[in-house]
Amino acid sequence: MLDVGFVGWRGMVGSVLLERMREEGDFAGLAPGFYSTSSPGGPGPTDLGFETGRLGDAHDVAALARHDVIVTCQGGDYTKAVHPRLRAVGWNGYWIDAASALRMEPGTVLVLDPVNADVIAEGLASGRRDFCGANCTVSILLMAFAGLFRAGLVEWMTSMTYQAASGAGAAHVRELAAQMAAIGEAVQGPLADPATTALAVDRSVREVLAADGFPTDRFGAPLAASLLPWIDRPIGDGQSREEGKAFEEGNKILGIVGPKNPDPIPIDGICVRVGSMRCHAHAVTVKLREDRPVDEIEALIAGAHEWVRVVENTPEATLAGLTPAAVSGRLDIAVGRIRKLRMGGEYLTAFSVGDQLLWGAAEPLRRMLGILRSHLGKVRPATEAEAA
Ligand code: NAP
């Protein structure tokens, strides 16, 4: 039985992970232990259909070291504090992590198996022990356009993002909802009077956005009725850290790094936070290596894996199937608005949207645990001589 320690299970990513594991029956045959950074000794998750016991202390390295696998959705600071200590005491287990702290370490494999099952298999075969989910926006982008990358058609790609509040964590989602509630309260009176002009309604919204006490502690500015074209910290050259991840992590997921592949694919753009709850979207421009007809491109995108869904480029199909509201809570990644740009037959545009808490965060980790289980099931037990 695989012994798995779960840390960070009550956050946005962790709670979706447990929900998906319960839905898929993944706990059967697992011996799970649950940990907390804030309330060790408190009750574990109550809705998994089995007794979870008291929470362990997520900083207790000796307790963590008893598990074969640690799955953490706690965050980068936690990873930086605990992972080196665990390795330092000789723990040789598997570390599966949602955070960014270890992603670009040379020994870490980025997991997104519908796109890079080969990279994961190679990592396991070569004895890698650290497996991290990639950035949510990057994972959704690669899930959407895996078919084009796989066909070797992408010379470069721009990715202009429309990112949900959930990408920043539970507290940010609450703040977006609180902002919406404050706006709702401010316009309730004006909207109740049919004679109120749209400009008067707009004035009420503007006033509440600028009012003292409007909740902006997390985002630093109003997100509801607005947008925020900067995510995370600057990394130089006018780029945000979030924007840098498309290139860095995108190429690492695809396995386009190292001496065999010296030429990574340029992927870049502007990352924008919008008032969507849990779905990230991208408007992309792709410079194709060669002109191919749109129907062939659609077939390549649709054929990449079972979760991608091509949406017909019509207003009706787009509004029905290519929005955050349409894909929220679903595993399918929608790709539409596919057409050639005026710049020429090698310039393609498209729009993609996916639930970032699923394929952008929890699902790659859940599936990595499954891949690991079957990998370990196949591993021959050490002989007595080897063990000695
Ligand atoms: P989160 O919602 O902020 O949760 C992280 C931890 O914060 C929880 O496990 C919990 O730990 C603690 N916490 C404090 N107040 C909480 C509250 N009101 N509700 C729930 N938990 C609370 O963070 P997250 O968005 O899940 O992200 C976790 C990691 O995954 C981060 O490193 C993030 O960068 C990465 N990631 C996130 C996403 C995403 O979509 N959000 C996508 C990919 C990767 P204790 O139980 O120990 O107190």
Side-chain angles (χ1 to χ4, degrees):
M1 201 175 259
L2 198 63
D3 204 322
V4 184
F6 290 89
V7 185
W9 54 270
R10 93 182 160 103
M12 289 295 290
V13 178
S15 46
V16 173
L17 175 68
L18 293 199
E19 191 177 290
R20 284 288 300 136
M21 289 186 67
R22 193 193 54 214
E23 276 169 16
E24 297 290 335
D26 291 346
F27 285 106
L30 276 193
F34 296 90
Y35 291 83
S36 169
T37 58
S38 58
S39 52
T46 51
D47 53 357
L48 297 181
F50 57 88
E51 199 48 57
T52 53
R54 295 274 149 196
L55 294 171
D57 179 347
H59 288 99
D60 180 348
V61 167
L64 294 172
R66 286 196 281 272
H67 296 286
D68 305 313
V69 184
I70 302 291
V71 178
T72 169
C73 306
Q74 184 64 33
D77 289 344
Y78 174 79
T79 298
K80 284 183 205 153
V82 171
H83 178 270
R85 288 171 57 212
L86 258 176
R87 293 298 187 212
V89 298
W91 182 67
N92 201 25
Y94 292 88
W95 179 267
I96 300 179
D97 196 341
S100 62
L102 299 177
R103 284 181 197 151
M104 296 313 292
E105 292 296 322
T108 298
V109 178
L110 293 187
V111 298
L112 189 65
D113 69 279
V115 176
N116 73 347
D118 53 338
V119 175
I120 296 171
E122 202 180 304
L124 282 169
S126 59
R128 298 289 170 83
R129 290 287 194 274
D130 296 332
F131 295 85
C132 293
N135 171 265
C136 42
T137 322
V138 179
S139 295
I140 298 287
L141 180 74
L142 291 199
M143 286 291 285
F145 299 104
L148 300 185
F149 286 108
R150 204 169 282 157
L153 273 176
V154 182
E155 185 176 322
W156 53 252
M157 175 183 272
T158 69
S159 163
M160 305 300 178
T161 74
Y162 306 75
Q163 296 183 219
S166 64
H172 290 73
V173 169
R174 292 179 64 87
E175 185 168 280
L176 173 60
Q179 292 184 356
M180 290 170 170
I183 294 169
E185 204 180 326
V187 297
Q188 211 172 8
L191 283 182
D193 178 0
T196 310
T197 64
L199 280 181
V201 172
D202 171 60
R203 196 176 315 117
S204 302
V205 173
R206 271 189 290 146
E207 280 168 8
V208 72
L209 294 186
D212 281 347
F214 188 75
T216 58
D217 287 353
R218 295 288 169 171
F219 286 111
L223 176 61
S226 186
L227 56 78
L228 306 173
W230 193 288
I231 299 176
D232 211 337
R233 60 180 162 79
I235 54 167
D237 286 344
Q239 200 181 33
S240 73
R241 182 166 176 254
E242 187 77 0
E243 288 154 4
K245 288 176 180 175
F247 176 73
E248 296 279 341
E249 295 186 19
N251 279 286
K252 184 164 180 177
I253 292 170
L254 292 166
I256 309 178
V257 280
K260 275 192 274 177
N261 293 296
D263 297 321
I265 298 173
I267 311 172
D268 205 349
I270 294 180
C271 289
V272 182
R273 185 81 67 198
V274 297
S276 155
M277 294 301 282
R278 55 182 281 173
C279 298
H280 287 348
H282 311 78
V284 303
T285 297
V286 184
K287 169 71 173 28
L288 299 169
R289 287 191 192 279
E290 58 191 71
D291 187 356
R292 295 277 187 93
V294 165
D295 56 353
E296 201 179 304
I297 283 167
E298 286 179 347
L300 282 171
I301 291 172
H305 54 78
E306 64 185 279
W307 293 277
V308 72
R309 174 170 57 82
V310 168
V311 175
E312 196 187 349
N313 190 13
T314 63
E316 298 77 17
T318 299
L319 298 188
L322 192 62
T323 64
V327 302
S328 187
R330 298 169 57 110
L331 280 165
D332 53 334
I333 305 287
V335 186
R337 301 307 325 274
I338 302 170
R339 68 180 177 88
K340 295 294 183 68
L341 289 168
R342 283 175 192 275
M343 295 80 173
E346 292 163 0
Y347 293 86
L348 180 82
T349 192
F351 191 88
S352 59
V353 59
D355 186 316
Q356 69 88 25
L357 286 173
L358 291 169
W359 277 116
E363 199 63 8
L365 305 184
R366 185 189 79 76
R367 291 175 62 88
M368 184 60 220
L369 190 54
I371 292 168
L372 192 54
R373 286 174 86 169
S374 45
H375 171 75
L376 293 175
K378 281 186 211 151
V379 170
R380 167 180 66 86
T383 62
E384 277 182 24
E386 284 168 338

